[in-house]
Amino acid sequence: LDKIHVDEVSVFDELIGSEESLKGCILQAKAAIMYPPRGLHTLLLGETGVGKTLFAETIYKYAKSTKVLDEDCADYANNPQLLLSYLFGVKKGTYTGANEDREGIVEKANGGILFLDEIHRLPPEGQEVLFYLIDKGEYRPLGEVEKYKKVDLLIICATTEKKEKVLLSTFSRRIPMTIAIP
């Protein structure tokens, strides 16, 4: 964490409250991004309208500016109905209309950051697949029964809900950084 300098000029300075109400949140975000080897998975908490999406975008810009991240980010923040097939992809023939293999957003975010807004809308089985991904760095597309796919990505997720009420404890324990946006 030697790379974190409290006085450095950064993209976080553009946020209103960066020197006051958001100062602690910004230090947490910087620590999460700079944590070796590829950062800490992070959960952003806060009411509707506090700027969780903007804060996640700023974390991404910070990761790019500090050269921690050199890939593009798959940002699906405006999709509150995350489906397992959308996240993890689909193997051809899994269901009617699945005429070809289709990669999911997890694969598209490989080497980068995946921001999942409204994570509380992900059903428990989706949270279980995500925590396996966090633990092992691998997942199976929907309909795949033999092979796992490997990915290396950082997950930032956000919710307006109390995490204890909407997230499985097995999932929450795998997100080491929680930042409450005031």
Side-chain angles (χ1 to χ4, degrees):
L1 298 179
D2 298 345
K3 297 178 184 177
I4 299 174
H5 301 287
V6 177
D7 298 332
E8 75 183 0
V9 176
S10 77
V11 295
F12 285 109
D13 295 334
E14 299 171 13
L15 297 176
I16 295 172
S18 64
E19 291 297 317
E20 295 173 13
S21 62
L22 289 179
K23 193 171 190 167
C25 297
I26 290 169
L27 287 174
Q28 284 181 284
K30 287 179 176 181
I33 287 299
M34 300 306 289
Y35 196 88
R38 285 201 36 91
L40 296 174
H41 302 294
T42 301
L43 174 63
L44 303 178
L45 302 175
E47 296 179 23
T48 301
V50 298
K52 294 179 300 297
T53 300
L54 175 64
F55 199 79
E57 290 169 354
T58 307
I59 292 173
Y60 167 69
K61 289 177 187 173
Y62 179 75
K64 293 274 288 186
S65 71
T66 58
K67 307 291 188 232
V68 168
L69 178 69
D70 55 8
E71 299 288 327
D72 283 336
C73 176
D75 179 2
Y76 292 86
N78 296 320
N79 185 354
Q81 300 293 329
L82 293 174
L83 301 172
L84 293 178
S85 62
Y86 193 59
L87 269 174
F88 300 105
V90 177
K91 186 158 178 65
K92 178 182 177 180
T94 301
Y95 54 80
T96 304
N99 301 326
E100 60 187 10
D101 289 352
R102 189 180 76 232
E103 71 179 12
I105 61 173
V106 166
E107 189 169 342
K108 291 177 182 176
N110 190 16
I113 296 174
L114 177 63
F115 176 53
L116 301 170
D117 201 8
E118 308 291 347
I119 192 70
H120 60 273
R121 295 185 187 197
L122 188 63
E125 57 271 14
Q127 292 179 41
E128 290 172 357
V129 175
L130 264 182
F131 79 63
Y132 187 82
L133 172 69
I134 290 168
D135 283 355
K136 304 285 187 185
E138 50 188 37
Y139 70 98
R140 286 184 179 160
L142 198 63
E144 176 61 67
V145 292
E146 295 179 18
K147 297 184 223 167
Y148 282 92
K149 289 190 171 201
K150 297 258 327 148
V151 290
D152 182 16
L153 55 79
L154 185 64
I155 296 172
I156 298 176
C157 48
T159 184
T160 55
E161 306 295 320
K162 298 230 181 273
K163 73 176 184 176
E164 300 81 18
K165 291 187 177 186
V166 295
L167 299 177
L168 296 173
S169 61
T170 50
F171 177 71
S172 294
R173 285 193 300 265
R174 285 161 173 85
I175 307 290
M177 181 64 77
T178 300
I179 301 173
I181 309 292

